[in-house]
Amino acid sequence: SQTIHQWPATLVQPVGSPLSLECTVEGTSNPNLYWYRQAAGRGLQLLFYSVGIGQISSEVPQNLSASRPQDRQFILSSKKLLLSDSGFYLCAWSRRVYGYTFGSGTRLTVV
Amino acid sequence: KNEVEQSPQNLTAQEGEFITINCSYSVGISALHWLQQHPGGGIVSLFMLSSGKKKHGRLIATINIQEKHSSLHITASHPRDSAVYICAVRAYSGAGSYQLTFGKGTKLSVIP
């Protein structure tokens, strides 16, 4: 069966510090991978998606970047966090005939 | 760009009540998802449907493609159903990729 792992679950970081959130998928190959953010009181917003290794598409210009160094690994990064980067970050994967499977999320608070 | 509207935004119900949450979207889609988000934040996929109706336990999801509308029903609601229910529509975005557009969610509270 397919599973998705996302960590850490919660993170408190000071403004200006770097960020690295990791997501890995098991039980499937060549999935489409996604990073979403949910800011307080708002719906989920797509940040990045990837259809293959090294292929990253960005939906929203921002202080974040994403990388896919391996087929089933997706990393969300920032060199210097801003207060506005606080929110709930979700990783997800999909394949055409399947639905979406979401990770458990990371609650990031930038202080 | 697809606009996804959910109603109501907040819903409080007594245990045992029949609940309906609505979702409307503006552009043709390949599939619609109903998701459940618990207070901890994790999201569970409840249904993926592209036509007709699906049922799983006390949950029923329907979609009308012509009217661009879907409903999620919960029969005999229970306090453990309390969560945020999110509608998301999937549309082809080119280059072999499908994108989800999310509604803002409906916060359901079921009171014993």
Side-chain angles (χ1 to χ4, degrees), chain B residues 2-96:
Chain B
N2 223 332
E3 301 290 335
V4 181
E5 297 289 337
Q6 280 186 243
S7 63
Q9 285 186 311
N10 292 282
L11 181 58
T12 300
Q14 291 289 331
E15 182 174 356
E17 284 185 7
F18 180 85
I19 288 163
T20 296
I21 300 171
N22 295 301
C23 174
S24 297
Y25 51 94
S26 57
V27 179
I29 62 172
S30 63
L32 182 143
H33 297 257
W34 280 103
L35 311 169
Q36 181 189 55
Q37 185 174 32
H38 280 282
I43 288 181
V44 174
S45 180
L46 299 175
F47 295 103
M48 180 178 72
L49 64 165
S50 55
S51 65
K53 174 180 173 179
K54 286 190 176 180
K55 185 176 187 294
H56 182 69
R58 295 179 294 106
L59 302 178
I60 303 167
T62 64
I63 187 169
N64 184 318
I65 296 294
Q66 287 72 33
E67 296 193 0
K68 298 186 175 62
H69 180 269
S70 175
S71 294
L72 176 69
H73 306 285
I74 305 175
T75 61
S77 60
H78 190 277
R80 65 174 174 266
D81 296 326
S82 298
V84 175
Y85 292 84
I86 301 170
C87 170
V89 298
R90 185 179 79 159
Y92 185 66
S93 62

Side-chain angles (χ1 to χ4, degrees), chain A residues 7-84:
Chain A
W7 67 93
T10 59
L11 192 58
V12 180
Q13 291 283 100
V15 168
S17 64
L19 172 74
S20 180
L21 301 180
E22 189 163 343
C23 172
T24 59
V25 179
E26 296 178 359
T28 187
S29 59
N30 196 30
N32 291 335
L33 295 172
Y34 307 85
W35 277 111
Y36 294 95
R37 177 169 63 195
Q38 186 177 44
R42 301 183 63 181
L44 283 156
Q45 179 186 41
L46 178 64
L47 300 177
F48 300 96
Y49 69 93
S50 172
V51 299
I53 295 174
Q55 300 178 61
I56 308 294
S57 296
S58 174
E59 288 295 304
V60 182
Q62 61 221 319
N63 183 42
L64 302 169
S65 62
S67 61
R68 186 170 177 174
Q70 299 179 42
D71 181 46
R72 288 170 283 182
Q73 184 185 29
F74 205 23
I75 298 172
L76 182 69
S77 305
S78 173
K79 291 182 179 178
K80 288 185 178 182
L81 283 168
L82 306 172
L83 286 174
S84 58

